[in-house]
């Protein structure tokens, strides 16, 4: 999908290119263009969703959950310039940067899901590369917490590692973990549909790498009578992570 002709104001040229010196997602050797293209890919995902739902207006309220230092928030601001944009993360310096640079409302998170009251009645919740780092049990807790913050008609969009990511590893195009850890994750994935291994770093707490089947992710929304799975894109975000989008029906 191109960035033209969809009736919304987004142009890459309007995206604030300012990158925080504390940005961890700008990896050594990565150009600013590559970094910015990850955010553009997120907007293309959202445009695909909105086009499929025949929605021609931008959301009035957006929560960027796991915002970091604004890798996606800067693009959300350009896509929906008039929206109330909330930036949520455990990193205080990240949400402060998003507030000062992109006009976001900061939401300070804690490592324990559910401890903080999230903003309510969100038209859109974007959760990029968070479900990719937690085990299956925590996925359920996080999904339920986020669901409660959706407005009727709102969309919850999450990204995951699934068969597409495994194929990238099998073909040698990407390396996600040490060989021993990766073997553990794949064994669980093939046996149960949900593989996970911790990073085993004290500074990262209960975070690791997850590999989860499409069916297991789809089950997250099955207990929601007001939920409808509206979109699935294999490798849809940055040609790496799968995308799932649910809508809370009115």
């Amino acid at each position: 999908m191109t960035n033209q002709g969809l009736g919304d104001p987004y142009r890459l040229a309007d995206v604030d290119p300012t990158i925080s010196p504390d940005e961890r997602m700008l990896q050594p050797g990565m150009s600013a263009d590559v970094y910015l293209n990850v955010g553009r890919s997120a907007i293309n995902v959202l445009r695909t969703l909105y086009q499929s739902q025949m929605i021609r207006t931008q959301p009035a309220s957006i929560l960027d959950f796991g915002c970091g230092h604004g890798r996606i928030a800067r693009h959300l601001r350009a896509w929906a310039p008039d929206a109330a944009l909330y930036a949520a993360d455990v990193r205080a310096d990240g949400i402060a940067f998003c507030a000062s640079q992109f006009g976001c409302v900061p939401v300070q998170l804690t490592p324990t899901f559910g401890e903080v009251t999230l903003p309510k009645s969100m038209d859109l919740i974007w959760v990029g590369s968070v479900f990719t780092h937690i085990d299956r049990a925590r996925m359920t807790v996080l999904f339920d917490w986020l669901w409660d913050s959706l407005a009727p008609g709102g969309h919850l969009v999450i990204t995951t590692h699934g068969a597409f990511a495994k194929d990238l590893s099998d073909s040698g195009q990407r390396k996600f973990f040490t060989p021993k850890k990766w073997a553990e994750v794949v064994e669980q994935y093939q046996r149960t549909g949900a593989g996970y291994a911790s990073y085993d770093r004290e500074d990262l707490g209960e975070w690791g790498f997850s590999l989860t089947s499409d069916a297991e992710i789809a089950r997250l929304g099955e207990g929601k009578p007001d939920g409808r799975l509206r979109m699935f894109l294999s490798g849809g975000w940055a040609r790496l992570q799968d995308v799932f989008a649910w809508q809370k029906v009115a």
Side-chain angles (χ1 to χ4, degrees):
M1 177 173 292
T2 67
N3 286 330
Q4 304 295 327
L6 290 181
D8 66 51
Y10 178 80
R11 297 188 312 152
L12 189 59
D14 294 332
V15 174
D16 186 335
T18 308
I19 299 175
S20 167
D22 299 314
E23 176 58 271
R24 301 179 184 181
M25 301 310 296
L26 184 64
Q27 300 167 359
M30 178 186 288
S31 70
D33 286 344
V34 170
Y35 172 87
L36 290 171
N37 279 335
V38 173
R40 179 169 64 176
S41 177
I43 297 303
N44 284 340
V45 164
L46 297 175
R47 293 174 120 181
T48 299
L49 171 64
Y50 273 49
Q51 186 179 48
S52 71
Q53 296 289 291
M54 306 289 286
I55 301 171
R56 294 297 177 182
T57 58
Q58 273 54 60
S61 55
I62 305 173
L63 171 62
D64 182 4
F65 186 94
C67 65
H69 289 80
R71 181 171 61 157
I72 309 303
R74 69 187 69 238
H75 295 268
L76 292 171
R77 174 54 72 209
W79 178 59
D82 298 325
L85 179 56
Y86 295 81
D89 205 283
V90 295
R91 301 185 187 102
D93 58 344
I95 61 173
F97 179 79
C98 290
S100 63
Q101 196 68 38
F102 313 123
C104 299
V105 179
V107 180
Q108 180 67 59
L109 302 178
T110 68
T112 301
F113 297 147
E115 277 190 346
V116 175
T117 299
L118 296 177
K120 301 298 184 182
S121 299
M122 293 292 99
D123 293 322
L124 172 66
I125 301 177
W126 166 265
V127 192
S129 202
V130 176
F131 283 81
T132 50
H133 297 292
I134 57 178
D135 63 26
R136 181 62 178 80
R138 293 184 77 202
M139 288 183 188
T140 298
V141 174
L142 177 56
F143 188 95
D144 291 348
W145 186 32
L146 294 167
W147 193 259
D148 288 342
S149 288
L150 274 182
H155 293 85
L156 171 60
V157 183
I158 73 171
T159 71
T160 65
H161 288 135
F164 190 91
K166 183 177 181 299
D167 287 346
L168 290 178
S169 178
D170 291 345
S171 65
Q173 297 179 64
R174 291 295 295 256
K175 181 180 179 181
F176 295 106
F177 235 155
T178 63
K180 181 179 179 181
K181 286 280 192 178
W182 180 246
E184 293 175 10
V185 170
V186 171
E187 188 280 327
Q188 296 171 36
Y189 170 78
Q190 293 176 331
R191 178 167 46 86
T192 69
Y196 173 82
S198 170
Y199 286 132
D200 290 334
R201 283 176 48 183
E202 186 174 341
D203 60 317
L204 294 178
E206 296 182 64
W207 295 92
F209 183 94
S210 62
L211 186 68
T212 316
S213 71
D214 304 346
E216 278 299 306
I217 295 297
R219 287 192 186 99
L220 290 171
E222 288 183 354
K224 306 299 181 188
D226 56 350
R228 302 291 185 272
L229 182 59
R230 297 300 194 192
M231 187 178 75
F232 166 71
L233 298 174
S234 176
W237 187 33
R239 295 186 223 175
L240 173 61
Q241 297 185 16
D242 299 334
V243 180
F244 292 80
W246 289 263
Q247 184 178 33
K248 178 181 279 190
V249 296

